[in-house]
Amino acid sequence: TQRVDSFDAYCQACAESPADVGIFSAAVADYQLSQRHHGKLPSGQDELKLTLVPTQKVVSEWRKTHPDSKLISFKLEAGLSDQELIDVARARVGAHSDLVVANHASGGELLLVGESDEQRVERQQLGRKLVAWVARR
């Protein structure tokens, strides 16, 4: 276990961490502040605007530095049908991930999406299903 205190430190720790399987269960940060402010922001302002910029995709970077490792990623979406969610997840399988755990923001069953199949999984069974998937590989 390694503690990190910034997005950059997280990216570096991931890149330097060899593993047979990487499980990326959540996006650490899709965006970060465009400018860092050191210290306290003054209070009493009428308005405070923060500008966010996209961050690099840690999963994609990890895949580049660990091409022979298996990669399981998660994809959360809102407002999609099951088939649309499967299609989004399937687009990530291959160059991006070996298995995608797709889920609706509204909850419910999870969908495990691989290269040629998908499987519905109750949330409480996810750990067992992922261990079984890894064991088969």
Side-chain angles (χ1 to χ4, degrees), residues 6-16 56 58:
S6 70
F7 179 77
D8 291 337
Y10 173 73
C11 290
Q12 182 176 348
C14 286
E16 295 172 354
Q56 68 186 42
V58 177

Side-chain angles (χ1 to χ4, degrees), residues 37-45 48 50:
H37 180 82
H38 299 285
K40 180 187 177 295
L41 292 171
S43 60
Q45 299 178 50
L48 177 63
L50 302 174

Side-chain angles (χ1 to χ4, degrees), residues 8 31-41 45 48-55:
D8 291 337
Y31 296 91
Q32 64 184 353
L33 289 170
S34 63
Q35 293 182 325
R36 293 183 82 144
H37 180 82
H38 299 285
K40 180 187 177 295
L41 292 171
Q45 299 178 50
L48 177 63
K49 292 185 180 183
L50 302 174
T51 303
L52 302 176
V53 294
T55 58

Side-chain angles (χ1 to χ4, degrees), residues 16 18 44 47 57 61 74 102 119 124 129 136:
E16 295 172 354
E47 188 176 85
K57 295 294 185 186
E61 293 302 313
F74 284 59
Q119 177 183 9
Q124 64 270 24
K129 295 291 185 178
R136 287 192 306 270

Side-chain angles (χ1 to χ4, degrees), residues 20-95:
D20 294 329
V21 179
I23 300 176
F24 291 83
S25 60
V28 173
D30 288 328
Y31 296 91
Q32 64 184 353
L33 289 170
S34 63
Q35 293 182 325
R36 293 183 82 144
H37 180 82
H38 299 285
K40 180 187 177 295
L41 292 171
S43 60
Q45 299 178 50
D46 290 337
E47 188 176 85
L48 177 63
K49 292 185 180 183
L50 302 174
T51 303
L52 302 176
V53 294
T55 58
Q56 68 186 42
K57 295 294 185 186
V58 177
V59 173
S60 298
E61 293 302 313
W62 194 84
R63 176 62 118 187
K64 286 179 195 173
T65 58
H66 303 86
D68 297 327
S69 298
K70 297 296 180 192
L71 193 152
I72 300 170
S73 67
F74 284 59
K75 185 64 176 162
L76 174 72
E77 291 288 347
L80 299 182
S81 69
D82 281 355
Q83 188 57 55
E84 290 169 325
L85 182 57
I86 289 168
D87 292 343
V88 167
R90 179 122 20 247
R92 298 169 65 98
V93 174

